[in-house]
Amino acid sequence: MVSAVCFMASCAKTDVKIIPGNYDPNSHSTGATGATGSSGSTGSDSTTNALLFSSPDDVAIDAAGNLYVADYGNNLIQKITPAGVVTTLAGNGTIGANNGLGTAASFNGPSGVAVDGSGNVYVADAGNNLIRKITPAGQVSTLAGTVVAADTSNTVTTEPVFAGPSGVAVDAAGNVYVADAGDNQIKKVTPAGVVSTLAGSVNSGSADGTGAAASFNNPTGVAVDATGNVYVADFLNNLIRKVAPGGIVTTIAGSNTTGSTNGPGTLASFYFPNSLAVDAAGNLYVADDINNLVRKIGPDGTVTTLAGSGTAGYANGLGPAASFNDPAGIAVDASGNVYVADANNNVIREISPAGLVSTLAGAIPTVALRRAIIRHGHYHTGVLSLAAKRRLLSKL
C-alpha cells in the first residue's frame, strides 16, 4: 500500500519496490515479533459474514477446490473450502519467523502463495525474506532464505538470499519459482532448498535474453505451466514475460507503458500487473492492479478483459458490470473459474469462465473505515500504508 520508492527509475537493491496492497519490507525489522495483525478475524471458522481478511495478497487452489490465501495484513495463511468456510491453516497473527504447527508459527507480511499436488503450501514470506512450506496438517518450516534483521551499525556484509519475495509458483517436480521483487530476479528453489537464479540481474531493466542477460523491474508474480515455462508479472515494466526452461526470457504482452488497451501481445497495455495464473489450455489470467481489471491472455498472445469496470469499487456482476479495488492475487481451477484476492475490498472473488463475478468469502470494510481511509490517503490507489490503516482501525 505504499508507492514505489523510485518508481520507474533504476533502484538500488535496498529500495525494495512493493505492490500497492503490500507494505515495504524495508520499513520493518525483518523477523521481529510482537506486532499484532490488522482488521481480520483470526483463527475462527466462519462464512462470508465476518471481516476475515486484511489486504489479502494472493490465492492458490488445490485439486479438491480448497483455496489458500496469503492474508498479508493479518500475517496468516487462511484456507477456504469450496463451501466458503474460512479457517486459519497457519500463523498466529503476530509478526515473526517462527516455524511450528498451525498457530505456533508466524509470518511477516505473507505476499505470495502456491500449492503442490500433495497439498503442501508454499509462501513468499516477504517481510522475512523467506520461502516457507506448510504441510496439509499445518506444519510450517523454512524451505529457503535467511531472516536478516535491521543493521544499524552498517557492519553486515552478507546479503539475504531474497529481497522482498513477492510471488511463488511450484511445478510438478516440487521446484518452487520465486518472483524476488527487490532483486529484480526470478529464482528457483529445489525441493531440498537449493536456490539458484533462473533469470534476471539485480539491476532493473526490460531486456529479453537468457539468464542474467535478461532484466526485470520489480517482478511480483509468477506462474508455471505443465512444460516448465515460467510466466512473470513484471510489475513496474507493465509487461508479462515468459521464461522458458534454460532461462530464456521473452516478452509476450504489454508495451512498457501504462494503459488498459486490449489487443495482440505487445500492442496491449497494463498498469502494474500484479500476479498471474495459467490454465491447462495455456491461457494466462492477470490481476491488473491499478486498472482494477482481470485480464486474459490467450495462447496466441491476444489480451482481453475478463472482468472489471476499470474503476475502483465493489460490485458483483458480469464482465464490466463488476468492479474490484486493487486486485492483488489470482488463481484458476481446472474448470476455468478464476479466483481473485481483492486486496482493498478485503474479499476473495470468484469469476466464472463467462466473466460472472461473485464474492466467495470475506466482507468489505465498513463505510466508516472507507471514509477514514479516504480522508487520510488515496484508498483507490493503495497509497495508504498498512501501519496507517491499523492506526485508523484503532480509532473507529
Side-chain angles (χ1 to χ4, degrees):
M1 296 178 186
V2 291
S3 299
V5 174
C6 45
F7 237 43
M8 303 301 280
S10 177
C11 298
K13 179 176 177 179
T14 54
D15 293 329
V16 181
K17 307 166 290 293
I18 296 298
I19 353 168
N22 281 7
Y23 71 157
D24 183 347
N26 288 321
S27 66
H28 297 266
S29 297
T30 54
T33 58
T36 59
S38 186
S39 59
S41 169
T42 60
S44 61
D45 294 2
S46 181
T47 57
T48 59
N49 295 326
L51 182 60
L52 295 173
F53 307 105
S54 177
S55 299
D57 210 27
D58 200 13
V59 285
I61 192 161
D62 67 17
N66 297 296
L67 203 65
Y68 300 89
V69 181
D71 193 1
Y72 153 90
N74 280 323
N75 297 298
L76 299 174
I77 305 303
Q78 309 234 45
K79 179 180 178 180
I80 308 173
T81 69
V85 177
V86 181
T87 58
T88 296
L89 176 66
N92 54 31
T94 63
I95 292 176
N98 294 328
N99 291 321
L101 182 63
T103 56
S106 54
F107 301 89
N108 188 352
S111 188
V113 66
V115 59
D116 68 17
S118 300
N120 298 297
V121 175
Y122 301 87
V123 180
D125 193 2
N128 283 323
N129 292 314
L130 299 177
I131 304 303
R132 316 288 290 279
K133 180 179 179 179
I134 311 172
T135 68
Q139 182 68 44
V140 179
S141 59
T142 297
L143 178 64
T146 304
V147 176
V148 179
D151 175 36
T152 57
S153 65
N154 295 318
T155 59
V156 174
T157 58
T158 302
E159 294 282 3
V161 176
F162 302 103
S166 293
V168 285
V170 59
D171 68 15
N175 298 297
V176 177
Y177 299 89
V178 182
D180 197 11
D183 273 335
N184 295 306
Q185 294 175 333
I186 306 304
K187 293 180 176 176
K188 178 180 178 180
V189 186
T190 69
V194 178
V195 182
S196 60
T197 298
L198 178 64
S201 64
V202 172
N203 294 322
S204 62
S206 59
D208 289 337
T210 300
S215 56
F216 303 91
N217 194 351
N218 189 204
T220 52
V222 283
V224 60
D225 69 16
T227 58
N229 296 299
V230 178
Y231 300 90
V232 181
D234 194 0
F235 184 74
L236 289 184
N237 279 327
N238 298 296
L239 299 175
I240 306 301
R241 319 287 291 280
K242 176 181 176 180
V243 188
I248 303 169
V249 179
T250 55
T251 297
I252 61 173
S255 55
N256 213 351
T257 59
T258 61
S260 58
T261 302
N262 290 321
T266 55
L267 296 181
S269 57
F270 301 89
Y271 199 163
F272 296 172
N274 205 333
S275 62
L276 41 71
V278 59
D279 68 16
N283 297 294
L284 286 171
Y285 301 87
V286 181
D288 194 4
D289 193 329
I290 303 301
N291 281 326
N292 291 298
L293 299 174
V294 175
R295 317 284 291 280
K296 180 178 179 179
I297 308 174
D300 64 352
T302 300
V303 179
T304 57
T305 296
L306 178 63
S309 64
T311 301
Y314 175 71
N316 291 320
L318 183 63
S323 57
F324 303 89
N325 195 343
D326 185 16
I330 198 164
V332 60
D333 68 17
S335 299
N337 299 296
V338 175
Y339 302 88
V340 180
D342 193 0
N344 273 346
N345 281 324
N346 290 316
V347 295
I348 307 303
R349 316 289 288 278
E350 180 177 351
I351 311 173
S352 74
L356 181 62
V357 179
S358 58
T359 298
L360 179 64
I364 63 172
T366 64
V367 172
L369 175 57
R370 283 177 176 270
R371 287 174 177 169
I373 289 170
I374 290 169
R375 284 198 302 271
H376 290 79
H378 302 292
Y379 186 77
H380 67 286
T381 58
V383 171
L384 197 66
S385 70
L386 182 60
K389 275 194 174 183
R390 286 175 176 158
R391 289 194 296 270
L392 287 169
L393 283 164
S394 70
K395 296 176 182 178
L396 295 177

